[in-house]
Amino acid sequence: MELCFATNNQHKLDEVAGQLGNSFALKTLRDIGCTDELPETTGTIAGNSRQKAEYVWTHFGVSCFADDSGLEVDALNGEPGVDSAHYSGSRDAEKNIEKLLTKLADNGNRKARFITVFTLILQGVEHQFEGVIEGQILTEPRGEGGFGYDPVFLPDGHDRTFAEMRIEEKNGMSHRSRALAQMIAYLEKQKGK
Ligand code: IMP
């Protein structure tokens, strides 16, 4: 069955393609003729994930899935949340981290989590899958790997930030891989029906 991943991020596509197996023909937005900017205006991570998938299903009629992710910090009432990518007003990860650390200042409550929501629309039937990793925000960045907020995110039960881990190690526990694993398990079940 054809299944479109509603993203323009090649890295994400490769990651999913590697885990999906060959029962599904994974299509890109370009493959289905979609060059539109997908809307992301709902104000929530789950809402934006759903909005992107519904856009593809409604306008192109192709079974599809979309993802949306972000960092939620308890002491900042869930900020940066849906604004994670451009928290500082730009997409510059260093500036976003700087704003986060400035806002948190010496607040003792450093509890945070990364969240990903995948929305799957399989022949019109919609399902959401959420993956979460809990952790703490450090007071200074540590490590060179990863992207986004990885240098200040210390996952619970570990003594290295996401940016200090090998990519395989991070991917083994990340919010994205947890959400993806649930979606793939669901797809595997549908295959047999
Ligand atoms: P997206 O929805 O996956 O594109 O993620 C939105 C934003 O959330 C990214 O631009 C990052 O700022 C942040 N983010 C999401 N996942 C991660 C991660 O694994 N590490 C660090 N930052 C992330």
Side-chain angles (χ1 to χ4, degrees), residues 3 62 87 142 152:
L3 196 54
V62 178
Y87 191 40
R142 270 180 19 202
V152 289

Side-chain angles (χ1 to χ4, degrees), residues 30-52:
R30 196 179 312 131
D31 289 337
I32 64 162
C34 175
T35 51
D36 310 349
E37 179 91 20
L38 301 183
E40 294 187 72
T41 57
T42 69
T44 67
I45 291 169
N48 282 358
S49 171
R50 170 176 291 125
Q51 193 180 22
K52 289 185 277 188

Side-chain angles (χ1 to χ4, degrees), residues 83-169:
D83 297 323
S84 294
H86 40 77
Y87 191 40
S88 63
S90 83
R91 289 187 165 263
D92 184 322
E94 260 181 50
K95 290 201 176 111
N96 288 339
I97 287 178
E98 209 178 287
K99 174 167 179 185
L100 179 68
L101 296 185
T102 304
K103 282 199 106 173
L104 270 178
D106 57 0
N107 196 316
N109 178 8
R110 316 295 294 190
K111 222 173 152 21
R113 66 202 56 77
F114 276 122
I115 295 182
T116 293
V117 177
F118 273 89
T119 303
L120 172 70
I121 303 182
L122 209 51
Q123 285 158 349
V125 181
E126 189 171 305
H127 280 273
Q128 287 198 310
F129 307 90
E130 184 182 87
V132 177
I133 173 101
E134 299 280 346
Q136 304 282 326
I137 302 298
L138 299 181
T139 51
E140 282 178 6
R142 270 180 19 202
E144 304 298 325
F147 71 101
Y149 300 89
D150 282 348
V152 289
F153 186 80
L154 188 69
D156 287 348
H158 295 265
D159 56 11
R160 281 166 303 133
T161 67
F162 266 179
E164 291 173 309
M165 292 181 177
R166 283 177 300 111
I167 185 73
E168 300 79 19
E169 194 179 1

Side-chain angles (χ1 to χ4, degrees), residues 21-32:
N22 49 15
S23 333
F24 294 92
L26 193 62
K27 302 284 173 189
T28 63
L29 284 170
R30 196 179 312 131
D31 289 337
I32 64 162

